[in-house]
Amino acid sequence: MVRTQIYLTKHQRDELAAISKAAGRKQSELIREAVDRLIHQASHRRREAILREAAGIWKDRTDLPDFNSTRAEWNRK
């Protein structure tokens, strides 16, 4: 692990201490868990944005084969 220092407001520190005490877990564990959750949410949003951006990028291409007829050929075999 890498040591990192952060500044919290007094309210954040007091609430974190209360949650830590009630949960019986270290404050550092709770902070790491919250950071992991934030990273997961952000990566999910990035993936969704990339998929939305890529959706339909080939719709105006005229140099592609007719996928419906190609797929129909596969289904006949």
Side-chain angles (χ1 to χ4, degrees), residues 4 6 12 14-15 28-29 34 39-40 44 56 64 67 73:
T4 302
I6 61 168
Q12 289 170 330
D14 293 346
E15 289 297 315
S28 57
E29 287 179 69
I39 290 168
H40 177 75
H44 182 72
L64 299 173
F67 289 112
E73 288 175 17

Side-chain angles (χ1 to χ4, degrees), residues 15-38:
E15 289 297 315
L16 183 59
I19 294 168
S20 172
K21 185 175 182 179
R25 297 174 63 195
K26 294 181 180 182
Q27 291 181 24
S28 57
E29 287 179 69
L30 297 174
I31 292 169
R32 282 191 297 274
E33 184 179 300
V35 169
D36 283 342
R37 212 172 311 131
L38 177 63

Side-chain angles (χ1 to χ4, degrees), residues 59-76:
K59 68 180 178 187
D60 297 325
R61 301 262 313 255
T62 58
D63 60 326
L64 299 173
D66 179 18
F67 289 112
N68 290 331
S69 62
T70 303
R71 180 62 192 252
E73 288 175 17
W74 295 343
N75 291 337
R76 280 187 253 156

